[in-house]
Amino acid sequence: MTHPLLDLPPLSAAHFASIEDRVARLLSTEQDVVITQGEALLPLEGAIRSAAGPGTTALNVVTGPYGQTFGNWLRDCGARVIDLAVPFHTAVTAEQIREAFAEHPEIDFVSLVHAEAATGNTNPVAEIGEVVRRHGALFYLDAVASVGAEPVLPDAWGVDLCVIGAQKAMGGPAGVSAVSVSERAWARMAANPGAPRRSYLSLLDWKERWTDAGRTALPHAPAQLEMLALEACVERIDKEGLRAVMDRHAAAAAAARAGARALGGGLEPYVHRDAEAAPVATTLRAPSDADASELVAWALETDPGLPLAAGGGALASEMIRVNHYGADATVDAVRGCLTALGAALARKGLAVDVDAALRAASEGARR
C-alpha cells in the first residue's frame, strides 16, 4: 500500500541545492546558505560553537529566554561573555550597544535575538548592525521568529550568521532550519580549533563536503519530507508575496494590541511600546489578581484551536501569548482570541467589553 508521504524518490543534491537557493532569495542574501537537518536550535548552537571559543569576547544581548541560552553556550565554549540585559517588556537600543563597545572595545562577537516570540519584543537590527559593523565584531542573529513577519536582511544589516526556522511566521515545518554565513564567519570558524568537526553541530563539515564541493553530493541522507515541506512553504510565500505576508502579521499584531487595550479587565500589552512589539506574537500581561495559565485554560475551553498560550517558565502566571503567526496571522484569529479571553476574564469576575475590543481590533488592523 502506498501513501503520498511515503515511497518517494530520494531527494537529489540538485533539488536540495535549489531549495537552499530559494531560502537565500527569501533573505535577499549573497552569502552561503546551509539548510541544516534539524530544528533551529541545531544551527543556533552550531554557529556559536563554531565561531566562538577561548579568546572570544562576546556581547550577548538578553531580551528574553533565548538570549540567556546563547550566553550559556558562549560560556561553555570558553568565551568571555558580557551580558547586556534589558527588561523583557522592552527592546535593546543601538545606543546601548554603542555604550557597551565604548566600555569594552575588545568585544569581537555580538549575539542578538531579532524577535523574541516568548516575550513579544523585537529589536532594531538594522541600527544595531551599523554599530557592530563599525567596530568590526562578528554579528550573530537569531531570526527564527521574525522571518516572514518582518524584514530579515543579513547582507544589508551586516549579519554574519543569521539563523532562521520555518515553523513560526513562515508557516512551515519545524524539522529543518537554515543559516546564512558570511565569508568573515567562515574564516572565524576555520581559525577556531574548538569548532565542531565530524559532528552534527559542524557547519564547517557542510562547507567542505557540500558548499565547497559544488553541492553535487549530499553529505548524508536529508530529512526528505521536511525539505519538501520547506520548499512548499517558500513557494506559498512567493505566491502570496513576502510583503503581503509581513503586512498580514503586522495587521494581526496591531489588532491584538488595540483589542487588548479596549477589552478591559486589567489585561494590557506586556511590551509597552508598539514600536518594540514583535509582529509574530503579542504578549499580554494578566490582571494582578488573576493567573495567566488559568485564564488561558478557560479561554481554550471555548475553542481549543485558538493560538493562545501562557508564558513559559517564570512568566506562566503573568503572561498570555497570542501566537498570531503563520496561518493564524489574521485579524479573525485575533478576534477569536479576544472573545475567548473576554469570557475567561468575565468568569473571573472582571468587567470587560468584548464588543469594544472587537471594534478596536478591526480598526487597529486598518491603520
Side-chain angles (χ1 to χ4, degrees):
M1 181 172 132
T2 62
H3 188 282
L5 299 182
L6 301 174
D7 304 320
L8 296 171
L11 191 73
S12 68
H15 194 173
F16 192 104
S18 73
I19 299 171
E20 280 188 339
D21 292 342
R22 295 191 77 154
V23 172
R25 288 194 294 273
L26 180 72
L27 297 174
S28 300
T29 184
E30 297 296 324
Q31 298 178 5
D32 290 330
V33 169
V34 176
I35 298 180
T36 48
Q37 304 298 283
E39 198 274 335
L41 281 174
L42 171 63
L44 286 169
E45 181 174 358
I48 281 182
R49 294 191 181 278
S50 295
T56 300
T57 300
L59 176 64
N60 180 52
V61 181
V62 182
T63 58
Y66 280 100
Q68 294 170 329
T69 297
F70 300 159
N72 293 337
W73 287 340
L74 285 161
R75 290 182 178 88
D76 191 53
C77 291
R80 176 189 171 214
V81 181
I82 300 161
D83 284 323
L84 172 55
V86 302
F88 288 178
H89 64 260
T90 188
V92 73
T93 66
E95 181 58 33
Q96 288 172 303
I97 303 294
R98 191 176 293 108
E99 290 170 357
F101 273 111
E103 187 173 352
H104 301 282
E106 68 276 18
I107 291 168
D108 60 359
F109 186 98
V110 175
S111 51
L112 175 71
V113 178
H114 187 182
E116 285 266 12
T119 49
N121 53 35
T122 192
N123 292 301
V125 182
E127 292 88 344
I128 290 169
E130 290 182 13
V131 178
V132 176
R133 188 164 51 244
R134 192 173 304 123
H135 288 270
L138 207 71
F139 192 10
Y140 163 101
L141 183 70
D142 170 359
V144 174
S146 56
V147 64
E150 54 188 306
V152 175
L153 301 168
D155 293 11
W157 296 344
V159 178
D160 296 287
L161 292 159
C162 182
V163 177
I164 66 168
Q167 69 266 34
K168 287 191 167 61
M170 288 177 64
V176 287
S177 45
V179 53
S180 66
V181 187
S182 72
E183 288 299 326
R184 291 196 328 140
W186 283 131
R188 179 78 69 95
M189 294 180 204
N192 179 12
R197 303 304 299 266
R198 295 168 296 282
S199 163
Y200 211 56
L201 287 172
S202 177
L203 294 179
L204 285 172
D205 288 356
W206 273 97
K207 175 176 170 55
E208 294 174 2
R209 298 175 59 193
W210 171 246
T211 307
D212 290 352
R215 301 194 298 176
T216 57
L218 287 162
H220 52 73
Q224 173 143 314
L225 294 180
E226 287 80 2
M227 287 295 295
L228 294 174
L230 176 61
E231 182 180 40
C233 166
V234 178
E235 286 177 350
R236 186 168 62 182
I237 291 172
D238 286 345
K239 184 175 181 179
E240 182 178 354
L242 180 57
R243 182 71 263 172
V245 174
M246 292 190 292
D247 287 347
R248 184 158 49 80
H249 283 80
R257 291 177 66 81
R261 289 184 174 118
L263 182 60
L267 198 68
E268 59 184 23
Y270 188 87
V271 177
H272 296 175
R273 298 182 63 241
D274 290 350
E276 296 175 346
V280 70
T282 295
T283 48
L284 304 171
R285 189 180 297 279
S288 58
D289 55 349
D291 181 86
S293 295
E294 183 179 57
L295 290 175
V296 167
W298 286 349
L300 292 176
E301 287 179 9
T302 66
D303 183 353
L306 291 171
L308 282 172
L315 298 172
S317 63
E318 64 180 86
M319 179 188 286
I320 296 168
R321 287 209 326 263
V322 183
N323 294 317
H324 45 67
Y325 54 71
D328 288 318
T330 67
V331 176
D332 283 347
V334 169
R335 286 167 59 90
C337 291
L338 292 169
T339 300
L341 287 172
L345 290 165
R347 181 171 169 180
K348 186 70 178 176
L350 299 168
V352 295
D353 189 337
V354 173
D355 289 339
L358 298 182
R359 286 194 302 273
S362 297
E363 291 168 4
R366 289 194 291 266
R367 291 184 189 139

